[in-house]
Amino acid sequence: MEKNTDLFEYVLRMGDDSLILGHRISEWCGHGPILEEDIALTNMSLDLIGQATNLLEYAGELEGKGRDGDALAFLRYDREYKNLLLVEQTNGDFGKTIMRQFFFDAYRKLLFERLIKSTDIQLSAIADKSLKETKYHLKHTSEWVIRLGDGTEESHNRIQESLDALWKYTAELFFANEVDSKLLAAGIIPSMEGLQEDWNEIVSSVLEEATLTIPTNNWKQEGGRIGRHTEHLGLLLAEMQYMQRAYPNMKW
Amino acid sequence: MKEVTISELERRFQEKIDNDIKIEPKDWMPEEYRQTLIRQISQHAHSEIVGMLPEGNWITRAPNLRRKAVLLAKVQDEAGHGLYLYSAVETLGADREATIDDLHTGKAKYSSIFNYPTTSWADMGTIGWLVDGAAIMNQVPICRCSYGPYARAMVRVCKEESFHQRQGFEIISLLAQGTPEQKAMAQDSLNRFWWPSLMMFGPNDAESKHTAQSMKWKIKRSTNDELRQLFIDVTVPQAEMIGLTIPDKDLKFNEETGHYESGPINWDEFWEVVKGNGPCNKERVDARKKAKDEGAWVREAAMAYAEKRKERSAIRA
Amino acid sequence: MSNKEWPLWEVFIRSKQGLNHKHVGSLRASDAQMAVDNARDVYTRRSEGVSIWVVESNSVFASEPTDADSLFEPANSKAYRHPMFYDVPDGISHM
């Protein structure tokens, strides 16, 4: 059962990342910078919420306490959410949303590529399906980072500012603790070796083409993976959980 | 080349319409036909786009993951439908952004139903059931409209919308059969949306200034009152089936005609909302304006980048 | 600063292998790559396509409806291009 507890924790983290980021992107629906991009953002949000559903359902099974995906998504306290701080950051302007998504997509693509090789069949299947979606997201966000970075002076300054503000949250993408080492030792998750280097390569090549500058300050801001969040998560949850909290134990 | 008089062109045009031959973008058409289409299709497009907002209001509060995905997909479809319709408007030589600016200045109208607030989750059910139900009734006949691009856009829209009404009815019937709180929520929502839904079909035929000409041109294929009656006839039994009460004390079934007879519609309210005095008119238009204004730098950047890239590849070549 | 609206693109979708690309509508995009992406997001949300073409709308050169008589009617009188024009004796098959 030890294996299940660790895997539960691991799958929960991924599920929460998808859930919280999917929620954030869904806030754009109806407010995008142009109709075509409004639709594109919603497609990303739908992919993420689909991933969250698959991952949280699976987490519920692994936990074996009768909680399903919805119970996990809507009925936990803030300290029990294990998403990255990066994904709970507010949308800001379109450039900040794109930059946040770009950092995440680059990480997610590399992660899913590795998880396809997992000995856990279900995790491998989820990774396989999600990878296709994520590759498209990364293509889309990379193109936008370049357009905004190398567009007008205003767009360059705006997205550089977002890059500077979000950079400190990127270190947490590579968070690993004893859960990861135990799963790795048990052969359930494949080696993540080189993931960070590959991420650096993707990110620096896109940012370079976008004429953007990576901040030199490498101060890390982490905590999400152990349930210690920024102020933003509480507000997000208050909204997301409203119906389930106000009308407990009902079917919708 | 022989001279053709305007009246001869008009005669040929009407002959085509009478023979159900579609009019395509480059064909000769009376200026008034073009203007009527631009007005109607852009109003329709604006309704789709503004219509995203009342439902968008609940995306972040959807009660479970399935509902969240469905609602998101539905609101996204509305963006798509707006886009198909703006495409149709552009075939008439009307520029999309200029059309949208007319919405923002209040010159162009959109369906008045979207000026009502969505105050509970049950409204997501009611909107799908009643508002999309009414929209489908309005739209199905337009699939046979005389103007090709509009008719084709509507075929696509109608095909995609078939799930919208069902998901709404699923929500509302679940609530109607749920706990007392849920049932009250459903009834309250029906009470608020019933009359505005009937108003969606537009003024009575006697008051509708565009109907006769639009029918002759086959832009419109049924009258407002015909469609409204059809809507009442199919919707009342659905409400009864799930145990909700239509908020109309005069409503009764006429055995002889086979139709429901309903109480008077408050047309003063209708016209006030159309004029801009509804509960949410300002919020809706402001939200759209804000999206456009705040997106300006993004659109400019993309264009500037595209131009830079073109220049660079020209230099390389 | 560029205040220009994004150009209009016509979108063509191949719904499955073996079929022609078919015109489905238009959209706005700043460049061809974005036009393909937008077409994917706008016009293939329900698995409607396996391949996308985009063409900038102002690159489409169309025939004039007023020329339709001289362009297309002459073909109507050439019935001999159609198999029904020819008599085949009874009893002959596979033709």
Side-chain angles (χ1 to χ4, degrees), chain B residues 36 44 63:
Chain B
T36 303
H44 196 159

Side-chain angles (χ1 to χ4, degrees), chain A residues 206-224:
Chain A
V206 169
L207 293 182
E208 191 190 317
E209 197 178 341
T211 70
L212 296 170
T213 315
I214 295 178
T216 44
N217 185 342
N218 277 323
W219 172 248
K220 291 181 190 180
Q221 196 70 55
E222 4 178 65

Side-chain angles (χ1 to χ4, degrees), chain C residues 30-72:
Chain C
S30 60
D31 57 45
Q33 185 54 54
M34 192 205 277
V36 169
D37 284 8
N38 289 349
R40 177 259 190 196
D41 284 316
V42 174
Y43 289 105
T44 67
R45 296 196 305 285
R46 288 175 170 76
S47 321
E48 292 96 333
V50 295
S51 166
I52 294 171
W53 286 353
V54 292
V55 179
E56 225 182 301
S57 306
N58 63 19
S59 302
V60 175
F61 192 80
S63 64
E64 287 298 329
T66 44
D67 296 338
D69 290 0
S70 58
L71 285 174
F72 309 114

Side-chain angles (χ1 to χ4, degrees), chain A residues 176-193:
Chain A
N177 64 4
E178 69 284 357
V179 169
D180 303 73
S181 24
K182 277 191 276 177
L183 290 171
L184 179 63
I188 295 166
I189 59 167
S191 165
M192 295 294 150
E193 215 182 80

